[in-house]
Amino acid sequence: MKISRKIAGALALSAAAAVVLAGCTSRNDPGQTAEPGATDGASTEDLTIAFVPKLQGIPYFEAMNTGGQQAAEELGFEWLYQGPTTADAAAQADIVRSFIQQGVDVLFVAPNDPNSMAPLLEEAQAAGIHVATTDTDAPDSVREVFVNQASVDGIGEALTDTLLEAMGGSGQYAIVSCGETAANLNAWIEVQEAYTASEYPDAEIVDIVYAGEDQAAATQMATDLMNSHPDLTGLVGECTSSAPGVAQAVEDAGRTGEVFTVGLGTPQSMLPYLESGSSSGSILWDVEALGYLTGWAGVQLATDGDLGDLSGVDNEALAEAEYDESTGVLLLGPPTVFTAENAGDYDY
Amino acid sequence: MTTDTAAPVRSAQLSLRRILPPIVTGQEIVLLAVLVVLWVVLGIFTPAFLTPGSIGPLLVQVAPIALIGVGMTFVIITAGIDVSVAAMIMVSAVTTARMLVAFDIPAILAVLVAVVIGSALGALNGLLIAYGRVHPIIITFGTANLFQWLGLRVFDSSTVNGIPSTLEFFGRGGAGSTFGVPHSFAIAVLAVAAAWWFLRYAKAGRNLYAIGGNQNAARLAGIKVQPRLVWVYVITGALAGLAACMVIATGTATLDQSVGSGKELQVIAAVVIGGTSILGGRGSVVGTLLGAILVQTVVSGVTQLGWPTQLGFLFVGIFILIAVGTDLIRERTRRRA
């Protein structure tokens, strides 16, 4: 008994240590230098630009990170990248606070919850940090610029056009969305509804369901939708987890060619479905270019540069980027439609 | 000292007799009735709920929950809980998926890998719980984080893309069923049947009820509590590993880090709705299977009726509260008696 207690103690201790260590590796990125007191208008040499994604470790934000690192190398600044391991507003807030304490020069956030992020951004600004949003906006905040991947209209219309082209311009379709309160997804859906009603009078959105970020749930819901609407000929997967999910449901039901799908999926995850025909197209944007544009915008903010002047940018993926000064939105350009032909060219 | 030990022994014998499960419990009959009513109502009000194309995928979706539910029922009967099953699914699934992509391993080997990983993780849980004497929710909460870290390391900041259809035997598609019966669901039913027999007729199985009823009494009655507990968590881990294969098969060609997330709560919901007492000492695997089917019926039913998705949470929440409420009332009346 005594021995087993000792073993138990040792095991519990090592488990506790491991958990603590796990916490450390995800929280503290070695190599980050804390420089208290942000400095404005310095040369880009000692400029630190931090980006807090919604979620670390998913290919989407890793691709943005790649783009940001590329910008850091070419433009010469330090790029810091750290996000929560679950799309959790509180965990994200902790990371934002740690960047405020480190006194970075520019702080980019893709907020999980724009409302709760707003006061934190104010705090950062009060500490002398340039604050901005990228990928997802916090509209009622002090952010100086929002780097937008694609306009809401652009995404909504591209999704609708691609799907309706496959459906022959008419018929019933349904949307499998993800987070029920996700502002960007809901904005796209609104455009899809209005655009479908005005441009495709013979088409109808019969249902909108929410699967969370769960691929299997999205697939099951798509299956349920096909069953409850026998005349359904189209499905939209509104986020990167439901886009392959709805295509998989069509394949599993053996209805490829009868029910068409489109979605916002990363090229690599959609490739098998684009090739088999269960997905008619994936609408997204060049995520690496978005990361690059974010890094570039950070430099402009810190050096009081002109966000509207992209002439000095040597990156053809940013050729169509434009800045709207009245709204403070820096737009990457129109969305990209990935098909079986070009999806293989991207490694995310 | 003698009087101290004599009382628990007596109570252990008493509780052994009292808690032996009847062949069918009242809760199972109620659940079955609710299910039948729901299926009939959904059959009437939706165009295709009661068709093979709808029921088949539903049962495939239920299978991993019911399968892990068997292990979780054992765990909860011993008055424990395992909140690390989602993370165990994640570790097993990502490792297996990576091996499928990198080495194109055959299905048998993939299942073996997943089950071995699940068992190993379960063994860690079991050893810490049996010999650490800390409440299982604390231990498994700790290991859940540990496993999550491990899984994320294996993911290595990217998704697993282009997973081959090696495991389609467990899937939703045509290769996943024989004569309309989904293989994964059949496996879950077999596991439930074996567990039902084990809990009812095997000495080791009946010991689990005694452990959950009163662990000290069980120990004094000569039951090897600690080895039993270790095995319960190993079995749960092994089943989570097998379930991970089903998750890969029913997922898309891409696996991302959200795999498994939330499954621990779905499994616990199925077990609790199935009538297993969260206080330990009482429970049934048949109830768990019915509970798992009920939860998915509600979620699918809401979608097929065209109702707002959020209503699914409301209904499942109500079912859990009713089930737990019934259990607590039963427990209180028994204590008073």
Side-chain angles (χ1 to χ4, degrees):
Chain A
M1 204 61 219
K2 256 183 192 162
I3 293 168
S4 63
R5 280 236 175 107
K6 262 185 200 161
I7 293 172
L11 281 172
L13 208 66
S14 57
V19 172
V20 170
L21 282 175
C24 286
T25 41
S26 63
R27 285 275 155 77
N28 299 327
D29 189 4
Q32 284 172 9
T33 45
E35 273 181 43
T39 46
D40 277 337
S43 78
T44 59
E45 281 304 305
D46 46 75
L47 201 59
T48 51
I49 298 175
F51 169 44
V52 182
K54 288 182 182 178
L55 182 65
Q56 189 164 358
I58 65 167
Y60 179 86
F61 285 115
E62 296 302 316
M64 259 185 93
N65 183 31
T66 308
Q69 282 170 342
Q70 194 195 337
E73 262 166 44
E74 290 176 16
L75 307 177
F77 60 87
E78 191 186 357
W79 171 259
L80 303 177
Y81 168 77
Q82 198 189 354
T85 50
T86 54
D88 172 39
Q92 193 181 29
D94 288 340
I95 294 165
V96 169
R97 279 196 198 92
S98 92
F99 278 133
I100 295 175
Q101 270 170 11
Q102 290 178 37
V104 296
D105 295 298
V106 184
L107 178 62
F108 280 97
V109 182
N112 280 309
D113 176 11
N115 293 325
S116 68
M117 189 51 72
L120 263 179
L121 293 182
E122 213 164 311
E123 212 176 288
Q125 195 174 53
I129 297 170
H130 291 282
V131 289
T133 51
T134 182
D135 174 72
T136 305
D137 199 10
D140 303 316
S141 71
V142 295
R143 59 103 173 129
E144 292 170 56
V145 63
F146 165 46
V147 184
N148 191 0
Q149 55 271 48
S151 72
V152 170
D153 290 339
I155 299 270
E157 289 170 14
L159 279 170
T160 312
D161 286 335
T162 311
L163 180 64
L164 266 300
E165 192 189 327
M167 288 167 61
S170 65
Q172 294 184 340
Y173 77 92
I175 297 172
V176 180
S177 189
C178 305
E180 197 159 348
T181 58
N184 51 350
L185 307 192
N186 288 340
W188 297 331
I189 291 173
E190 235 169 77
V191 172
Q192 286 164 260
E193 288 179 311
Y195 188 69
T196 304
S198 67
E199 298 297 312
Y200 300 96
D202 296 331
E204 184 197 358
I205 301 175
V206 291
D207 204 352
I208 300 165
V209 298
Y210 303 90
E213 301 284 335
D214 186 339
Q215 278 190 358
T219 312
Q220 179 63 32
M221 282 183 168
T223 309
D224 287 330
L225 287 168
M226 284 189 279
N227 279 314
S228 58
H229 301 282
D231 298 329
L232 196 81
T233 51
L235 282 163
V236 180
E238 201 75 27
C239 74
T240 50
S241 62
S242 71
V246 296
Q248 180 72 42
V250 169
E251 270 187 21
D252 285 343
R255 297 190 66 189
T256 307
E258 296 167 36
V259 181
F260 302 93
T261 77
V262 298
L264 289 127
T266 55
Q268 275 295 322
S269 75
M270 295 308 291
L271 190 57
Y273 304 103
L274 291 166
E275 282 173 345
S276 75
S278 55
S279 173
S280 305
S282 178
I283 284 72
L284 208 66
W285 42 88
D286 188 329
V287 186
E288 284 184 16
L290 180 65
Y292 191 102
L293 187 63
T294 302
W296 177 83
V299 174
Q300 303 310 306
L301 285 178
T303 58
D304 287 326
D306 182 4
L307 281 162
D309 180 19
L310 281 127
S311 54
V313 183
D314 183 26
N315 188 331
E316 59 180 283
L318 302 184
E320 291 186 82
E322 53 184 17
Y323 180 59
D324 181 350
E325 198 161 353
S326 63
T327 54
V329 173
L330 179 60
L331 180 67
L332 177 64
T336 310
V337 179
F338 295 103
T339 60
E341 282 75 47
N342 66 2
D345 301 342
Y346 298 82
D347 58 358
Y348 54 87
Chain B
M1 194 63 200
T2 40
T3 47
D4 275 346
T5 49
V9 169
R10 219 177 9 250
S11 86
Q13 285 166 341
L14 267 175
S15 64
L16 257 176
R17 198 181 327 142
R18 191 179 61 201
I19 56 187
L20 260 189
I23 293 189
V24 230
T25 63
Q27 186 124 351
E28 285 160 17
I29 293 167
V30 173
L31 273 177
L32 199 61
V34 172
L35 259 182
V36 169
V37 170
L38 272 182
W39 282 31
V40 169
V41 169
L42 285 169
I44 295 168
F45 288 102
T46 67
F49 186 85
L50 286 181
T51 58
S54 164
I55 295 295
L58 187 147
L59 295 180
V60 172
Q61 186 78 357
V62 164
I65 302 295
L67 196 63
I68 305 173
V70 168
M72 189 68 84
T73 308
F74 288 178
V75 165
I76 294 181
I77 284 174
T78 66
I81 194 141
D82 188 344
V83 295
S84 72
V85 289
M88 291 199 275
I89 294 178
M90 181 191 179
V91 177
S92 303
V94 64
T95 314
T96 310
R98 287 221 130 182
M99 293 183 75
L100 281 168
V101 171
F103 309 114
D104 203 15
I105 54 173
I108 297 280
L109 193 57
V111 171
L112 197 69
V113 167
V115 170
V116 167
I117 291 172
S119 310
L121 301 179
L124 177 66
N125 277 337
L127 287 169
L128 288 171
I129 288 162
Y131 297 100
R133 308 266 187 91
V134 181
H135 193 279
I137 198 167
I138 306 294
I139 297 282
T140 55
F141 186 54
T143 55
N145 281 278
L146 192 81
F147 300 160
Q148 192 87 20
W149 166 75
L150 199 63
L152 286 171
R153 290 306 295 262
V154 182
F155 266 113
D156 195 19
S157 289
S158 95
T159 48
V160 185
N161 294 319
I163 301 168
S165 54
T166 315
L167 291 170
E168 63 185 356
F169 179 82
F170 298 115
R172 209 183 274 103
S177 3
T178 306
F179 303 121
V181 180
H183 301 142
S184 52
F185 184 70
I187 292 169
V189 169
L190 283 178
V192 167
W196 180 85
W197 178 88
F198 174 75
L199 285 175
R200 196 173 162 72
Y201 296 109
K203 190 176 146 225
R206 293 203 302 256
N207 284 349
L208 299 185
Y209 289 100
I211 294 171
N214 185 336
Q215 201 178 112
N216 285 328
R219 184 172 292 115
L220 292 170
I223 294 173
K224 296 189 191 94
V225 173
Q226 283 152 335
R228 294 271 186 274
L229 281 179
V230 173
W231 275 110
V232 161
Y233 287 90
V234 170
I235 288 167
T236 306
L239 293 174
L242 184 53
C245 294
M246 298 177 179
V247 170
I248 294 174
T250 54
T252 68
T254 293
L255 198 71
D256 67 36
Q257 66 183 42
S258 71
V259 59
S261 81
K263 285 270 191 290
E264 75 275 40
L265 298 179
Q266 293 173 20
V267 171
I268 294 170
V271 174
V272 170
I273 291 174
T276 295
S277 170
I278 204 78
L279 304 167
R282 194 152 26 83
S284 115
V285 281
V286 178
T288 299
L289 176 66
L290 294 171
I293 299 175
L294 180 62
V295 169
Q296 189 55 48
T297 299
V298 169
V299 175
S300 283
V302 164
T303 309
Q304 294 209 17
L305 286 168
W307 291 357
T309 312
Q310 43 186 248
L311 284 178
F313 293 102
L314 177 70
F315 295 143
V316 173
I318 290 172
F319 278 125
I320 294 176
L321 291 179
I322 292 175
V324 173
T326 325
D327 178 47
L328 290 178
I329 290 165
R330 209 159 33 190
E331 194 65 25
R332 272 177 208 152
T333 40
R334 173 178 305 159
R335 269 196 211 142
R336 238 174 262 139

